[in-house]
Amino acid sequence: MSDVARLAGVSIKTVSRVVNDEPAVHPDTAERVMAAIEQLGFRRNLGARNLRRGSTTGTIGLIVEDVGNPFYSELNRAVERIATSFGRQVLTGSSEENSDRERELVLEFCARRVDGILVVPAGLQHGYLVPEMRAGTPVVFIDRPAGDIVADTVLVDNLGGTVEAVTHLAKHGHRRIAFLGDSPDIFTAAERLRGFREGCVRNGISYHESLVSMRTPTQEYIGDAVARLLRGPDAATAVIAGNNRIAVHVLRALAHVERRPALVGFDDFELADLLNPPVTVVAHDVSALGHAAAELLFARVQGDQSPPRKVVLPVRLVVRGSGEAAP
């Protein structure tokens, strides 16, 4: 600001009035100041301004598993829409399903004095957040609950969705249904496996461990699992993919299989409706997930002191063709 004032031939106070759109600055003077700002590339330090005024930093933090995953990209966009309506910007980081990285990002955002934190947790220990929450930083967990603290949480109906997938396949005559899930340490994966088991019980289908695979998905691992599940006289006639990445890996593994099993995926994904056959999925509104979490966070930012809430959003079965094949 001193450089701008010197170049424009005005006081620092006049520069401050111009950049903050305050009245009582002559138009010619304001024009000189703006020209100096443009020439010098001056930008306001909003953080310093807010600290001086004792106001908020105008930001919130969002930690997801992988911002490159379309699921989390859509979640991020939804959070940004709500944040923008409240005059905030979103700082986003990827934990890469690493609890240490999650903690590092959360504490970094807190050190930057964000107005609140939204986190898709990678770990099960969140006691490190208690001092921040006591200091007034609201925290909302998305898609998975906190491990060892009580906090606001927004989830989808993982269990009910997988029960519906099993029921749908059973109605089409399938009794040998396989389930491919993510690591069982992940809340959503464990809940969807629980739903698979419950779905088998409800539909009178025997549960076989040999038809279940739970592990961090890679193309090689899913390819091997699919080959094993489709081998022999007791081969699976249907497969439930536990998330969108697993569904894509399964489709690649089935690309050259002559007689494909029925397939139902959990989470919709891009182009699923354009494949041959189109992929039947258990879908939920990712934007609604982000909206609900962000709105809950901003309610806390604005002073809501009610007890922590747990919100569970519904899912729906989208029938397209792949889940309707006969055994």
Side-chain angles (χ1 to χ4, degrees):
M1 290 179 70
S2 297
D3 294 337
V4 171
R6 188 163 40 251
L7 182 60
V10 300
S11 68
I12 292 178
K13 180 62 177 175
T14 298
V15 175
S16 176
R17 285 174 176 162
V18 172
V19 297
N20 288 296
D21 295 322
E22 294 179 7
V25 179
H26 192 278
D28 290 342
T29 303
E31 188 175 341
R32 288 206 318 275
V33 172
M34 293 305 296
I37 286 172
E38 182 68 25
Q39 183 176 337
L40 295 174
F42 169 80
R43 296 291 182 272
R44 286 182 297 173
N45 186 327
L46 294 176
R49 185 194 69 173
N50 291 331
L51 285 173
R52 186 173 68 252
R53 292 181 175 180
S55 58
T56 71
T57 61
T59 58
I60 63 169
L62 171 63
I63 293 91
V64 299
E65 177 192 345
D66 178 7
V67 74
N69 184 324
F71 175 91
Y72 293 115
S73 298
E74 187 173 349
L75 182 73
N76 192 103
R77 283 199 300 271
V79 170
E80 283 183 338
R81 291 189 197 103
I82 300 299
T84 299
S85 72
F86 282 91
R88 300 320 202 273
Q89 301 298 323
V90 181
L91 306 178
T92 307
S94 299
S95 68
E96 299 175 352
E97 207 59 69
N98 183 301
S99 58
D100 291 334
R101 175 63 175 160
E102 172 210 300
R103 175 175 177 152
E104 177 187 344
L105 284 168
V106 169
L107 294 181
E108 175 65 24
F109 288 160
C110 288
R112 294 174 184 272
R113 294 297 180 261
V114 294
D115 300 336
I117 294 282
L118 294 164
V119 55
V120 178
L124 297 175
Q125 297 181 334
H126 297 95
Y128 67 88
L129 270 169
V130 171
E132 303 296 339
M133 295 168 70
R134 285 177 177 165
T137 303
V139 179
V140 176
F141 289 83
I142 311 177
D143 201 39
R144 311 166 185 173
D148 55 357
I149 63 174
V150 178
D152 290 320
T153 308
V154 181
L155 311 171
V156 301
D157 187 6
N158 297 288
L159 187 146
T162 321
V163 168
E164 189 171 1
V166 175
T167 301
H168 181 73
L169 291 168
K171 286 180 179 177
H172 285 81
H174 294 278
R175 313 300 293 176
R176 298 280 298 176
I177 303 172
F179 180 80
L180 295 175
D182 208 325
S183 169
D185 295 333
I186 298 173
F187 171 81
T188 49
E191 282 294 285
R192 291 170 190 180
L193 175 60
R194 194 159 70 93
F196 175 71
R197 286 175 170 158
E198 186 167 323
C200 288
V201 170
R202 290 189 189 183
N203 290 280
I205 296 173
S206 297
Y207 174 84
H208 297 285
E209 288 287 348
S210 61
L211 293 177
V212 173
S213 243
M214 301 288 291
R215 184 174 156 186
T216 302
T218 64
Q219 185 58 59
E220 181 181 10
Y221 157 63
I222 296 297
D224 291 343
V226 169
R228 175 179 58 79
L229 290 168
L230 300 184
R231 191 183 301 128
D234 292 327
T237 63
V239 175
I240 296 175
N243 62 36
N244 57 351
R245 288 180 301 177
I246 294 173
V248 171
H249 289 326
V250 169
L251 288 167
R252 287 200 176 106
L254 294 175
H256 303 294
V257 174
E258 184 175 348
R259 183 167 177 78
R260 297 186 181 187
L263 172 64
V264 176
F266 203 117
D267 300 334
D268 207 351
F269 57 96
E270 192 173 4
L271 304 181
D273 58 328
L274 299 180
L275 297 172
N276 185 22
V279 182
T280 295
V281 296
V282 176
H284 56 90
D285 191 336
V286 181
S287 291
L289 184 68
H291 286 167
E295 286 171 349
L296 183 50
L297 182 74
F298 281 110
R300 299 302 189 188
V301 169
Q302 294 181 325
D304 183 351
Q305 297 293 322
S306 61
R309 280 180 266 173
K310 177 181 176 181
V311 178
V312 181
L313 300 180
V315 299
R316 69 187 189 283
L317 185 72
V318 181
V319 175
R320 292 185 176 136
S322 69
E324 293 68 60

